[in-house]
Amino acid sequence: MGETAKIILNGQEYEFPVIEGTEKEKAIDISALRATTSYITLDNGFGNTGATKSAITFLNGEKAILRYRGIPIEQICEHSTFIETSYLLIYGELPTKSELEKFEAPFEKYYKLHPDMLNCFAGYPQAGHPMGLLSSMMCSLSGYYPELLKPSLSDDEFEETAAELLAKVNTISACTFKKMQGQDFVEPKEGYSYIENFLHMMFSTREKEYECNETIVAALRKLFILHADHEQNCSTSSVRLVGSSWANLFASISAGVSALWGPLHGGANQKVVEMLEEIQASGGDIDKFIARAKDKNDTYRLMGFGHRVYKNYDPRATIIKKDCERIFDTLGVTDPLLDIALKLEAKVLRDDYFVERKLYPNVDFYSGLIYKAIGIPTVMFPVLFAIGRMPGWIAHWKEMKENPESRIGRPRQIYTGSTERDYVPIDQR
Ligand code: CMC
């Protein structure tokens, strides 16, 4: 027998197997704990709980390592496209030329929205947050593909759904922007790459066609790749949890979008820029904001700092920060918020409170500034995160469905409410 862990409860010893991943990280397998001891574990926020084995993404928070299917994120960012990265995440291997062509071929067809979907957009308030609209629209896709809602999809059906989702999130995201602007939707353009099409559908108007700029296309390619997966984060866990009930892929993805929306997760990129704007409006008093974030009686947090897993610089932030300064230079953009961000980061990295808690800039700290430089409004930032995260969600849903060990996700609890008491009629309360 390999390594084991012993738990002693009321003098009795119980032994549990230790399992080891391919990168030597270890876990005590307590799947038999309740059945053998009648105890459960309690782990607030699941900080110590492995919900699954997964072969998709490896990250080491202490060493700032991030790899998709074993390949370092730095190499993927350097050489790959977003669609190729999506294939890698979903199917586990880099595609051959013909596999990639086959994967990408239906995208042009799938970019197009069913005409009835336009009615769904029409009924949504123009001032509504685009993430609400995106989540609803991703789920509403289920209405258009009733044949793809069964619990198990064939390989071809899965491939169709995956391509459909990747293409549709592009179009739907651009349409949420047009809706916000009160502008007509723009049709996708044949021959355009995934990112060119997104920019075209976002920024072209009836009067004027948007001219894609190489620097902007390259910046979005990298940002989408950097956001493509991050193992068992809040939104991916939501997708897996919803999917574990055999809910279809559209519904599961829609739950992922909703989870991502929160400011502690994918909504942070929007909140970072709003925070920098607030600092600017207050006359640039960075210390005041740092003091608030450290104050135990204030729930305020510095957005874009800290991470559940990274206890060192987020490797995605390292890449984005370098790019941010270069993109500003190439586009000839100046933004006083970049200066505030650099000063804020420098102060935080020297401040004992943040040093002791290992709070470094995360992926969201500089990404918003790039989106802003490209001309994307702040409220749309989480939507761009969702486009990037789509292949990761799809890959995890697929992995979960194919795992014979998968069971419906159903955590337990320690009940802390009233013990048994009698119902009191309303006139006696
Ligand atoms: N500003 C000030 N204090 C912070 C921050 C912050 N941004 N983040 C954590 N802390 C403190 C926290 O108050 C706690 O202090 P203490 O030990 O004295 O109680 C300690 O650091 C540990 O924090 P935690 O809340 O237990 O950590 P967590 O792992 O549960 O939360 C986090 C991780 C990312 C939600 C959190 O760091 C945070 O709220 N950051 C700001 C929001 C943000 O930037 N989110 C984007 C994350 S990256 C994108 C993604 O993949 O989701």
Side-chain angles (χ1 to χ4, degrees), residues 263-265 268 293 296 301-308 316 353-354 357 359 362-364 385:
L264 297 190
H265 190 13
K296 281 278 143 231
R301 286 187 170 199
L302 285 186
M303 287 292 137
F305 286 92
H307 199 275
R308 170 62 60 80
R316 302 168 299 174
Y353 172 96
F354 293 91
R357 289 169 180 75
L359 301 170
N362 58 47
V363 68
D364 289 321
F385 196 150

Side-chain angles (χ1 to χ4, degrees), residues 258-300:
S258 297
L260 188 74
W261 187 359
L264 297 190
H265 190 13
N269 52 14
Q270 174 184 345
K271 295 292 170 201
V272 167
V273 169
E274 288 171 1
M275 172 187 75
L276 296 173
E277 285 168 345
E278 221 186 320
I279 297 177
Q280 184 189 32
S282 77
D285 189 353
I286 292 175
D287 293 331
K288 191 174 90 188
F289 288 81
I290 292 184
R292 269 194 77 188
K294 289 157 58 172
D295 182 354
K296 281 278 143 231
N297 300 313
D298 193 334
T299 54
Y300 183 79

Side-chain angles (χ1 to χ4, degrees), residues 6-71:
K6 282 184 185 159
I7 296 181
I8 302 168
L9 293 168
N10 297 322
Q12 184 159 349
E13 227 175 58
Y14 302 89
E15 204 165 2
F16 298 94
V18 167
I19 60 161
E20 192 175 280
T22 47
E23 290 288 347
K24 310 276 177 243
E25 72 283 15
K26 291 188 176 180
I28 303 166
D29 179 353
I30 49 98
S31 2
L33 181 69
R34 190 168 182 282
T36 47
T37 67
S38 82
Y39 283 58
I40 60 165
T41 54
L42 185 61
D43 184 17
N44 189 18
F46 308 124
N48 306 283
T49 297
T52 183
K53 294 176 199 157
S54 178
I56 301 172
T57 287
F58 173 69
L59 71 89
N60 180 317
E62 280 71 35
K63 296 187 182 151
I65 294 173
L66 175 61
R67 298 183 199 134
Y68 295 161
R69 300 287 188 179
I71 305 176

Side-chain angles (χ1 to χ4, degrees), residues 164-333:
E164 179 82 57
L165 277 163
L166 284 164
K168 281 289 189 303
V169 72
N170 196 338
T171 310
I172 291 175
S173 297
C175 291
T176 63
F177 177 67
K178 288 295 190 196
K179 170 82 198 183
M180 276 175 56
Q181 303 287 302
Q183 289 176 4
D184 290 336
F185 296 163
V186 172
E187 287 282 313
K189 189 164 161 169
E190 244 174 70
Y192 263 14
S193 72
Y194 189 84
I195 290 166
E196 286 168 337
N197 237 323
F198 174 66
L199 289 165
H200 163 71
M201 291 188 284
M202 285 273 291
F203 295 124
S204 290
T205 59
R206 271 210 188 140
E207 296 74 39
K208 197 166 183 294
E209 175 123 343
Y210 176 81
E211 271 179 45
C212 283
N213 168 307
E214 244 178 65
T215 308
I216 293 178
V217 173
L220 278 188
R221 176 192 68 85
K222 209 177 260 188
L223 283 169
F224 285 169
I225 289 175
L226 283 170
H227 286 91
D229 192 43
H230 213 233
E231 49 120 300
Q232 310 304 320
N233 57 84
C234 177
S235 57
T236 303
S237 298
S238 305
V239 169
R240 290 187 87 121
L241 191 64
V242 172
S244 78
S245 74
W246 293 5
N248 63 75
L249 188 48
F250 302 108
S252 308
I253 294 290
S254 163
V257 175
S258 297
L260 188 74
W261 187 359
L264 297 190
H265 190 13
N269 52 14
Q270 174 184 345
K271 295 292 170 201
V272 167
V273 169
E274 288 171 1
M275 172 187 75
L276 296 173
E277 285 168 345
E278 221 186 320
I279 297 177
Q280 184 189 32
S282 77
D285 189 353
I286 292 175
D287 293 331
K288 191 174 90 188
F289 288 81
I290 292 184
R292 269 194 77 188
K294 289 157 58 172
D295 182 354
K296 281 278 143 231
N297 300 313
D298 193 334
T299 54
Y300 183 79
R301 286 187 170 199
L302 285 186
M303 287 292 137
F305 286 92
H307 199 275
R308 170 62 60 80
V309 184
Y310 292 121
K311 299 303 169 199
N312 196 327
Y313 215 96
D314 180 338
R316 302 168 299 174
T318 311
I319 296 173
I320 292 177
K321 184 182 174 187
K322 251 193 245 153
D323 255 40
C324 188
E325 293 173 278
R326 196 180 46 76
I327 290 164
F328 273 62
D329 281 350
T330 319
L331 294 177
V333 174

